[in-house]
Amino acid sequence: QVQLVESGGGLVQPGGSLRLSCTASRSISGFNAMGWYRQAPGKEREFLATITGGGNTNYADSVKGRFTISKDNAKKTMYLQMNSLKPGDTAIYYCNADFQLCIECPRSSSWGQGTQVTVSS
């Protein structure tokens, strides 16, 4: 299986920036895709962005132009650069990996434990 660990969350003022990291327990170069999601209190988990194994990216409209997803295969780490943060971005942020460990293996998915992001003055 694959373990994912998020880091980089914290308290930031409106308009500020944060960079989240998601480090995997094994190489990510063969993953089908990795992505970022968030869940605010009382709300469902919300898709933010994905990056495929080939580096193609996709964003939710709510974060397009403010957030940037990237990855460093050598560091087994995916990132989410978040700029122009708003109070509405306050949530627990989760990373996800979509992978297949071998040709005969089933397609699987793993989630990190989440990291809290709070945007407040």
Side-chain angles (χ1 to χ4, degrees):
Q1 266 295 349
V2 176
Q3 284 74 48
L4 303 174
V5 178
E6 300 100 336
S7 61
L11 174 64
V12 63
Q13 292 187 343
S17 298
L18 279 177
R19 188 177 79 158
L20 305 183
S21 299
C22 172
T23 300
S25 59
R26 59 189 298 155
S27 173
I28 66 172
S29 60
F31 286 6
N32 298 317
M34 297 183 75
W36 288 99
Y37 296 73
R38 69 186 179 190
Q39 188 166 17
K43 295 188 177 181
E44 295 186 353
R45 191 167 295 190
E46 173 191 13
F47 162 77
L48 298 178
T50 58
I51 184 166
T52 67
N56 294 318
T57 59
N58 186 40
Y59 296 92
D61 288 343
S62 59
V63 303
K64 198 173 294 183
R66 298 191 299 126
F67 291 8
T68 303
I69 189 171
S70 63
K71 61 175 180 160
D72 185 332
N73 288 341
K75 295 183 178 180
K76 300 184 291 184
T77 300
M78 174 182 64
Y79 303 99
L80 186 68
Q81 177 67 43
M82 306 186 294
N83 299 328
S84 303
L85 283 163
K86 309 172 184 179
D89 294 317
T90 296
I92 299 174
Y93 284 66
Y94 298 91
C95 65
N96 172 266
D98 176 9
F99 55 91
Q100 193 172 354
L101 296 182
C102 66
I103 296 176
E104 298 84 9
C105 298
R107 193 160 177 169
S108 299
S109 178
S110 287
W111 291 90
Q113 82 290 348
T115 185
Q116 176 71 46
V117 171
T118 302
V119 184
S120 175
S121 54

